[in-house]
Amino acid sequence: MTLPTFSNAHRLAIQLALRLALGAIPGLLLWSAQAAPVKVADVQGHVLQWDAPPRRIVSLMPSLTESICALGACDRLVGVDRYSNYPAQVNQLPKLGGIDDTQVETIVALRPDVVVVTPYSRVQDRLSALGLKVLVLETRSQEDVQRGFQTLGQMLAVPDALQVWHRIEADMNAKAADVPASLRGMRVYFEVDSAPYAAGESSFIGEILGQLGLRNVVGRELGPFPKLNPEFVVRANPQIIMVGQRNVGGMDGRPGWRGIDALQAQRLCVFAPEESELITRPGPRMAEAAGLIVQCLRRLDPAAPGPGKTRPRS
């Protein structure tokens, strides 16, 4: 048997073909992963399955909208809740109401492959009864947010979803180095709403405060976002109060509050509406939220050097 001989031109052609075939393998593998069946479980134990990763997604919580976009799937969103406004491109999508007036009929008309909600949504049972797949994710703690990234990553076939979370976590931890030493360990009260509802130690906000070296006066045993008796805050006597601009008015007029250390010393972090919105969203911008809190803490300590500066020597 005589072996075929090849000219140099033939050899080059064969080598080129092999290289093209090998180069296509990663793309084929990615396509295969994106086309493969998907199965995930949500926080309520529901198991959802798709023949391929969902392409049409409705999100009914701003933080979940942001997380989906952080995983590179903004283009799969076909509708969002009224308050989803970041990143900017989601403002072009149909707005589907809020927690009390969700537009169920419009959601159905959008033919989503999945609707992503929190356990506090009032329409999940109705949407399920109408034949839609509903993925329920919790967002109260940082562990919840991490688990949410993992579940969304599985659903979207994004293999490095947890890397996104690890970057957020590292950025949050790095902010602690910028907290003035004179404020570390101080008692802090973070008011979410003037009812008053507070951010407890076990909430994602409370965990950020802990990472920054502050002591939350609302202990873990009270839950993530408890409604408090105003007298509780008087007894806890926080040294720093953090509150939104909308809720700060009249705070010193609440019975007994005028004597609280934070109000007497005017150690207040008052956040503008857009800052409060960012800080109270448990998603990919939590490191930015930590940065806003640190900025306020530095303003409360006049001796703290500005970014890139050092303290003057005496």
Side-chain angles (χ1 to χ4, degrees):
M1 178 177 177
T2 304
L3 294 174
T5 59
F6 297 99
S7 66
N8 287 337
H10 279 112
R11 290 193 188 95
L12 288 172
I14 292 168
Q15 289 173 2
L16 179 61
L18 284 171
R19 286 174 183 170
L20 288 172
L22 290 171
I25 287 175
L28 289 171
L29 291 174
L30 179 60
W31 177 85
S32 177
Q34 292 177 339
V38 173
K39 184 195 310 189
V40 300
D42 68 13
V43 296
Q44 295 184 339
H46 304 140
V47 177
L48 285 76
Q49 299 183 66
W50 297 267
D51 292 334
R55 299 297 308 174
R56 299 179 61 81
I57 302 171
V58 164
S59 170
L60 296 181
M61 178 59 66
S63 56
L64 296 176
T65 300
E66 293 190 22
S67 295
I68 289 167
C69 288
L71 292 172
C74 240
D75 60 336
R76 303 196 208 181
L77 290 167
V78 296
V80 294
D81 66 284
R82 177 185 296 119
Y83 304 105
S84 287
N85 56 7
Y86 186 90
Q89 68 192 88
V90 305
N91 291 316
Q92 307 303 315
L93 295 170
K95 299 290 185 172
L96 304 169
I99 195 168
D100 294 316
D101 61 349
T102 307
Q103 299 170 18
V104 173
E105 292 78 10
T106 306
I107 293 174
V108 173
L110 288 170
R111 298 177 293 106
D113 298 320
V114 65
V115 182
V116 185
V117 303
T118 69
Y120 316 105
S121 168
R122 298 174 183 172
V123 295
Q124 56 178 295
D125 290 341
R126 187 175 172 195
L127 291 171
S128 296
L130 289 169
L132 297 182
K133 291 180 178 175
V134 181
L135 181 72
V136 185
L137 298 176
E138 184 59 91
T139 58
R140 294 186 299 177
S141 70
Q142 290 185 19
E143 184 179 359
D144 291 332
V145 178
Q146 177 181 356
R147 192 180 299 115
F149 270 108
Q150 186 171 14
T151 302
L152 289 171
Q154 290 171 348
M155 182 183 77
L156 299 168
V158 177
D160 58 348
L162 277 182
Q163 292 303 314
V164 176
W165 165 252
H166 292 320
R167 285 195 294 271
I168 297 166
E169 188 176 40
D171 289 345
M172 284 192 293
N173 289 330
K175 303 294 183 186
D178 295 326
V179 176
S182 62
L183 301 182
R184 292 180 183 276
M186 278 198 172
R187 300 184 305 277
V188 63
Y189 166 69
F190 191 109
E191 184 165 290
V192 177
D193 183 85
S194 59
Y197 284 95
E201 191 179 4
S202 62
S203 70
F204 66 93
I205 298 173
E207 289 169 330
I208 291 175
L209 297 176
Q211 287 165 318
L212 297 179
L214 302 173
R215 287 192 295 139
N216 199 327
V217 299
V218 183
R220 188 171 296 273
E221 70 279 1
L222 296 176
F225 296 102
K227 183 177 182 180
L228 300 175
N229 184 324
E231 176 65 24
F232 172 92
V233 183
V234 176
R235 292 196 306 270
N237 194 25
Q239 296 163 291
I240 301 171
I241 289 178
M242 299 183 178
V243 62
Q245 212 168 55
R246 295 187 177 120
N247 296 328
V248 70
M251 184 173 274
D252 60 356
R254 298 176 188 176
W257 280 49
R258 195 180 297 273
I260 291 175
D261 280 357
L263 291 174
Q264 288 202 334
Q266 285 300 291
R267 280 191 296 268
L268 299 174
C269 287
V270 181
F271 299 109
E274 63 274 12
E275 294 174 329
S276 291
E277 181 180 87
L278 192 158
I279 292 170
T280 55
R281 284 193 183 174
R285 294 191 291 161
M286 287 196 298
E288 292 180 51
L292 288 174
I293 293 172
V294 170
Q295 285 176 24
C296 177
L297 293 173
R298 293 177 71 82
R299 289 195 296 269
L300 295 181
D301 178 24
K309 300 178 183 178
T310 56
R311 295 182 186 273
R313 295 181 179 178
S314 55

